Amino acid sequence: MTTLYENLTTANNAGIHALVIGIAEYPHLLNGTKTTTKNAFGLQQLTSPVVSAAAFVDWPFRSHQGFDPHHLNPDAPLLSVECLLSPKEATPVHTPAGDVLVERANREAIRLAFKVWVSRLQKNPDNVGIFYVAGHGLLDTEDNTLNILCEDFGFDDDDVWSGAFDFPRTARALERKVRGSIYYFVDCCRQASKKLSANTGKPRPIQSIEHDDEVIHTGSTRLYATSATEKAYGDPGKVSRFTEALLLALKGHCGERTDDSPIWQVDGTTLKVAVDKLLKRAGKSYAPQVPKEDTEKSPRALLGLTQPPKVMVEVDVAPDRHRSSATVYLKSPRGTIVSQVTSPPGVWQTVVPKGIYDVGAFAINEAFAETTMEDQDLSPPAYVRVLRVST
Amino acid sequence: MKLKVALDFGKLDPERVSTQLLPYEVLDSHGVLRAKGVVGSSYTASSVIEAEDSAPVFVRLTLPSGRTLLRKVTSGKKAELVTFSDSSFRGAPWYRWVSPRVSLASQKGVVATQKTISLGSSESVWVRIWQRSESGWRVAPLAFEDPESSKGARQFERQLGSSPFMLQFGGAKTPWRLMSLPGGGRVRVFFAAKSLVQGTEDSVRVVVTGFRPIAETLMQFLKSDPKAAAQLLTASQELPGISSIDSVDPVEALAASYVRLRVGAWSEEQTILLDGYCERFGWIPDFRLLRAITNARSGLSSHSKFDACVDDLFQSIRSGPPIFAEGARLIREMIEILSDIESVNDTDELKLARRLLRTSVDDGVAFSFYGADPYTPTVRRRFGIPEATRESDSRKHAKSGKRAASSVRSWKMSVEEARVESGIAGHEFTKASLPFPSREGSQPVSRSDGYLTFLRDFRRK
């Protein structure tokens, strides 16, 4: 296991503890570097999971003013980050203390890192846990259970599941172990294999469920990259679509604030809505990928942002012959122009803080009458509209 | 400033089927939440907000479908009334109650009343109802009332007794599906073609109401925003003129229990209430499922607790699928908890529970799954009319013993009676065989048994 960051001075206070796992190289799967298992289920080598996990682990370390453990959540500072990566070639991870090469994500390493992460979470009932995993996932159609494959999957053909773990039962076990809140981000395919159903046996969870113990957790959110039986996508060598959307959401494209607090809070439901919209927006030319969220009880907010969430705005003028003579604007309810463009060459794109705006366009040469859509609710992460003008 | 918020949803939905309670938020122009509340069809809500200056505020009403309605309020007055009406809702008047629940597409002509009764250009849909009794599932008389139809949409109502019921439908392009119906009252079932309803994977979208708008709104919000569901539940107990959610209506009590469990608001009092519900409404499988979960979550620290938990789960599974889709989450949790206990894992009940999960459809608040009949959830989707696959079903049932035998009987009965009732010659459906009249000159339809088809020119190839 590799600890990328640990705040020992406040380790017993409430804060965020993260465990990040990315697995791209599977030596025993197709085109791997070692003997291919007879239970490969047609699965190949990957590249995106390690890039995605590295990008995810980079997120809590970055803020506008350098590293500040409180920048994610003033009430719950970042207390520790544990990471395991299985890249094809050594991939250093950027940390506040410099670049670090991390241990590989075989099952035993994951088990040990998991144990450390859980023990940290158990230190304070207000702790918030982050469990991020990217790699191969296989749906067990009998139970609709997602099995996550570790780097050493297929090492032992007599015990095919020795290099995998049962994710839902692992998460279920923690409901009886950890009082705090946990956010699970699972960037894996959830497809079933026909060969899998014929196979005997099942993988074990990393943590067994103690049936005698009562459920003590405050709440949890599981955010899956895709729906059951569906694929999750990522371009080779690039951050996956889900992680890209998740990071964009986490970096200020979602959040809700009440009148009595200056903090914009981000919880599981808010995140799911944002990630869903961002995936739809990015995936217009791809196969659809619909994330699934499951929130149990009332988990503590993951993030507390001091800045209002940002909204990516796309406004097009139709018919497009009027674009060249159009000035498109966003106006606040007090009548102040917040953003505008003249003669946009295509769809006008801008970023504004969340809020209620009038969206309109007027013609420089009176080619069309001024058109306004009043009181538009620009909620993060994105607002997309076509402004139809007429002469 | 005192903001009063009102719903005017009664004009086109006089029975107030669509909704009685909806959450609203008061936002400033920066999207900051200034206040929130719940408004009802027969109750005007009010929120007091501090009017800092002349800046406007906005009232945002969220419908169960996820659609939001926004109204601007220019401050300056001491009080302001904001009314949300259903006048902008799409759909013909008879199915406008569906509009807050699902997003209806804007299609010119779709809302117009038509003589044709097809759900699409080449689609046909058949439907039947299963009822659970002590001897098992059987096909129940359809006895539909108040049928309505227009291009792309159909609707009927029926009275259901206090036992589990399932609606089954299928067609040439519609995979056979079974959907739980809330018993113990009247139900209205609405069918819409894919072209009419947004976000539907199957070619047909089915929306059911048991005329329990509070319970149904709670369950819809529980799917999309559990916090809003919790807020609605609290408000439902406080609003004047609306009966308490803890009243004797079992489906409302069930919805409230689901919400409390999901958002972590379960108390000792709920456990006592649940015991009463299990006793009094034993025909609703969900209650025993809920009790199994609450037992499991409290720790199975003794043999007696373990046995009681497993017994509740098994009785629930045996008595039928849950009414609400939320039940699928609980079944999944129970399987995850118990699957490493061999004596439980290999039982028929847990196998059936797994099949239900595998085949369940994430579409709406009612529990539904793909299958040939209530005993046979099937991953492989079936299409067409029932008799086309009857033989293969029989083979499957033959392997699974007693229960299968009873379902085969039901099955054969349904097919044969349908032939008589519908006047089906061979596999052809003729115009005369149509049980549904068009909207113009519509007559109440009452049928003794069998299944109905919606398309008059269906031909088997």
Side-chain angles (χ1 to χ4, degrees):
Chain A
M1 78 186 188
T2 307
T3 305
L4 295 182
Y5 174 76
E6 189 175 13
N7 187 336
L8 291 170
T9 55
T10 56
N12 291 330
N13 293 352
I16 298 173
H17 295 278
L19 171 58
V20 180
I21 302 163
I23 311 154
E25 188 183 39
Y26 289 89
H28 301 286
L29 292 184
L30 302 178
N31 300 318
T33 52
K34 295 183 181 169
T35 313
T36 304
T37 173
K38 62 183 181 186
N39 299 300
F41 303 119
L43 298 173
Q44 305 260 359
Q45 304 303 305
L46 301 172
T47 52
S48 174
V50 164
V51 183
S52 302
F56 186 85
V57 88
D58 186 51
W59 152 70
F61 294 144
R62 302 268 173 160
S63 67
H64 296 299
Q65 293 87 31
F67 176 64
D68 169 9
H70 287 85
H71 87 272
L72 297 180
N73 192 335
D75 298 328
L78 184 67
L79 291 183
S80 73
V81 179
E82 207 65 36
C83 185
L84 296 160
L85 296 177
S86 291
K88 188 174 183 185
E89 291 167 6
T91 305
V93 173
H94 311 296
T95 77
D99 288 357
V100 177
L101 278 173
V102 301
E103 193 182 347
R104 299 184 74 84
N106 59 51
R107 197 183 188 284
E108 180 59 9
I110 291 174
R111 189 185 70 80
L112 291 172
F114 186 86
K115 208 172 170 182
V116 169
W117 174 67
V118 170
S119 68
R120 287 173 182 155
L121 283 172
Q122 286 172 325
K123 286 181 180 172
N124 192 300
D126 291 327
N127 274 335
V128 177
I130 295 175
F131 180 92
Y132 171 96
V133 63
H136 273 308
L138 267 179
L139 192 76
D140 180 342
T141 51
E142 193 186 346
D143 279 3
N144 251 12
T145 291
L146 179 65
N147 301 319
I148 293 174
L149 310 191
C150 310
E151 181 196 299
D152 51 340
F153 179 78
F155 168 72
D156 182 357
D157 272 344
D158 295 331
D159 184 5
V160 60
W161 296 116
S162 59
F165 66 91
D166 176 330
F167 169 72
R169 288 179 63 215
T170 301
R172 193 65 71 196
L174 291 196
E175 293 175 353
R176 290 159 170 79
K177 288 276 175 199
V178 174
R179 287 194 185 276
S181 308
I182 303 181
Y183 287 82
Y184 300 93
F185 302 118
V186 184
D187 194 354
C188 302
C189 288
R190 298 176 71 192
Q191 279 196 305
S193 167
K194 284 178 185 171
K195 290 179 184 173
L196 186 67
S197 59
N199 217 295
T200 53
K202 292 175 184 301
R204 294 181 302 277
I206 298 176
Q207 174 89 50
S208 296
I209 298 171
E210 299 287 348
H211 302 96
D212 290 1
D213 294 348
E214 67 174 313
V215 169
I216 55 171
H217 75 144
T218 318
S220 65
T221 288
R222 302 181 197 181
L223 188 54
Y224 294 96
T226 189
S227 309
T229 73
E230 299 295 329
K231 282 183 178 177
Y233 296 91
D235 292 331
K238 293 186 175 173
V239 176
S240 70
R241 282 189 220 166
F242 170 74
T243 298
E244 193 173 26
L246 176 64
L247 287 172
L248 201 55
L250 290 169
K251 289 175 180 174
H253 284 94
C254 63
E256 287 176 348
R257 203 196 110 184
T258 53
D259 208 13
D260 54 359
S261 166
I263 301 298
W264 295 84
Q265 295 198 324
V266 176
D267 62 14
T269 307
T270 327
L271 258 181
K272 191 264 174 181
V273 171
V275 171
D276 194 9
K277 284 183 181 171
L278 288 166
L279 275 173
K280 275 183 190 147
R281 183 172 175 267
K284 282 174 190 164
S285 54
Y286 303 106
Q289 183 175 330
V290 182
K292 293 303 278 185
E293 174 238 359
D294 193 355
T295 293
E296 189 72 47
K297 296 173 87 174
S298 303
R300 199 177 170 195
L302 173 62
L303 301 183
L305 305 174
T306 51
Q307 299 294 316
K310 294 168 280 189
V311 182
M312 293 177 285
V313 178
E314 288 182 9
V315 179
D316 198 5
V317 174
D320 54 10
R321 67 175 186 276
H322 286 311
R323 272 195 207 132
S324 57
S325 58
T327 293
V328 191
Y329 60 83
L330 293 175
K331 196 193 288 180
S332 76
R334 290 174 189 253
T336 311
I337 297 287
V338 176
S339 185
Q340 72 172 33
V341 65
T342 300
S343 306
V347 178
W348 177 44
Q349 296 181 323
T350 185
V351 177
V352 296
K354 171 182 179 169
I356 315 286
Y357 297 84
D358 291 347
V359 181
F362 60 83
I364 308 159
N365 52 7
E366 297 184 349
F368 59 87
E370 181 167 358
T371 305
T372 308
M373 295 188 289
E374 291 183 343
D375 305 330
Q376 296 294 295
D377 187 0
L378 270 61
S379 292
Y383 171 88
V384 180
R385 284 289 185 282
V386 175
L387 199 57
R388 298 199 176 278
V389 299
S390 55
T391 51
Chain B
M1 175 170 59
K2 188 171 185 181
L3 260 180
K4 287 192 171 182
V5 184
L7 279 188
D8 180 16
F9 279 14
K11 285 178 187 165
L12 295 166
D13 179 20
E15 293 167 289
R16 292 189 170 132
V17 173
S18 59
T19 183
Q20 280 191 340
L21 286 176
L22 289 174
Y24 71 87
E25 298 164 303
V26 183
L27 308 166
D28 68 14
S29 59
H30 303 294
V32 175
L33 184 63
R34 301 286 300 276
K36 62 181 179 180
V38 170
V39 61
S41 299
S42 55
Y43 172 73
T44 301
S46 62
S47 292
V48 178
I49 56 164
E50 284 183 31
E52 294 168 352
D53 45 35
S54 59
V57 292
F58 300 84
V59 185
R60 183 168 63 192
L61 185 80
T62 305
L63 300 175
S65 67
R67 185 183 163 202
T68 56
L69 306 174
L70 194 74
R71 297 278 182 278
K72 184 179 185 177
V73 181
T74 307
S75 60
K77 296 179 188 172
K78 283 187 178 175
E80 190 79 44
L81 173 67
V82 178
T83 303
F84 291 94
S85 85
D86 55 4
S87 58
S88 64
F89 289 179
R90 291 169 177 153
W94 57 268
Y95 70 81
R96 201 160 293 184
W97 65 274
V98 175
S99 193
R101 300 176 185 223
V102 296
S103 297
L104 295 175
S106 61
Q107 274 198 325
K108 284 183 181 175
V110 163
V111 296
T113 302
Q114 301 283 332
K115 284 188 176 179
T116 57
I117 56 169
S118 65
L119 285 173
S121 56
S122 60
E123 175 61 298
S124 81
V125 173
W126 56 265
V127 57
R128 64 182 162 192
I129 287 178
W130 294 82
Q131 181 178 9
R132 175 90 190 179
S133 63
E134 282 184 7
S135 58
W137 288 99
R138 64 180 179 83
V139 174
L142 289 167
F144 293 154
E145 296 163 15
D146 300 330
E148 300 275 10
S149 67
S150 68
K151 185 182 176 187
R154 286 203 147 269
Q155 181 174 288
F156 56 78
E157 294 185 12
R158 189 192 191 280
Q159 189 71 29
L160 300 181
S162 294
S163 62
F165 283 88
M166 298 213 81
L167 175 80
Q168 189 180 18
F169 55 93
K173 293 183 177 177
T174 303
W176 293 18
R177 247 171 87 181
L178 289 111
M179 179 180 277
S180 290
L181 296 175
R186 195 168 186 78
V187 291
R188 177 185 285 173
V189 183
F190 170 79
F191 286 79
K194 190 175 183 175
S195 58
L196 183 66
V197 178
Q198 296 170 347
T200 300
E201 282 184 28
D202 284 350
S203 55
V204 170
R205 178 72 186 259
V206 181
V207 185
V208 174
T209 177
F211 297 89
R212 294 161 173 116
I214 294 177
E216 290 158 11
T217 307
L218 279 176
M219 296 313 290
Q220 280 212 270
F221 276 100
L222 190 60
K223 276 196 89 169
S224 58
D225 186 353
K227 282 188 292 187
Q231 187 193 353
L232 287 170
L233 177 61
T234 306
S236 70
Q237 293 162 307
E238 293 169 357
L239 292 179
I242 294 175
S243 62
S244 164
I245 201 73
D246 291 325
S247 65
V248 289
D249 182 274
V251 179
E252 289 192 345
L254 177 61
S257 302
Y258 271 131
V259 173
R260 286 197 183 97
L261 187 74
R262 179 75 174 279
V263 302
W266 196 261
S267 64
E268 194 56 40
E269 188 192 346
Q270 302 310 318
T271 303
I272 296 165
L273 277 172
L274 186 57
D275 282 340
Y277 297 150
C278 288
E279 189 72 28
R280 193 168 171 192
F281 308 117
W283 55 275
I284 296 183
D286 310 49
F287 284 125
R288 283 190 185 276
L289 183 58
L290 276 158
R291 192 162 68 179
I293 282 287
T294 53
N295 259 325
R297 288 186 183 180
S298 67
L300 302 173
S301 51
S302 67
H303 285 298
S304 58
K305 276 191 88 174
F306 179 83
D307 290 346
C309 172
V310 172
D311 185 52
D312 272 336
L313 175 68
F314 284 8
Q315 282 205 46
S316 170
I317 298 295
R318 279 184 217 126
S319 55
I323 290 178
F324 291 117
E326 180 72 5
R329 295 180 77 257
L330 305 193
I331 293 176
R332 181 172 293 115
E333 183 173 340
M334 286 308 306
I335 289 173
E336 286 168 8
I337 292 168
L338 298 174
S339 61
D340 60 350
I341 299 171
E342 212 170 294
S343 61
V344 180
N345 194 35
D346 292 336
T347 55
D348 287 346
E349 286 81 359
L350 225 60
K351 285 174 186 167
L352 177 58
R354 287 192 167 99
R355 282 209 306 275
L356 282 172
L357 271 191
R358 279 203 303 273
T359 57
S360 64
V361 188
D362 185 13
D363 178 23
V365 297
F367 184 88
S368 74
F369 59 90
Y370 294 113
D373 57 58
Y375 297 112
T376 322
T378 49
V379 175
R380 196 170 180 177
R381 295 175 193 180
R382 295 174 180 219
F383 297 87
I385 54 173
E387 54 262 55
T389 49
R390 179 175 47 162
E391 204 171 307
S392 61
D393 279 358
S394 301
R395 279 201 301 272
K396 277 193 175 180
H397 288 308
K399 290 178 185 173
S400 56
K402 277 185 178 177
R403 285 184 197 155
S406 68
S407 94
V408 171
R409 281 198 297 275
S410 303
W411 180 266
K412 284 179 177 171
M413 180 179 72
S414 74
V415 171
E416 284 159 11
E417 291 193 12
R419 284 169 188 269
V420 174
E421 289 292 320
S422 301
I424 300 168
H427 292 302
E428 285 191 355
F429 288 67
T430 62
K431 186 176 178 180
S433 74
L434 268 177
F436 270 121
S438 61
R439 179 155 168 69
E440 280 86 3
S442 62
Q443 301 289 322
V445 174
S446 177
R447 296 175 47 73
S448 62
D449 207 335
Y451 59 85
L452 301 179
T453 58
F454 286 179
L455 191 72
R456 58 184 170 184
D457 56 353
F458 185 88
R459 297 283 188 280
R460 270 200 77 222
K461 291 176 182 174

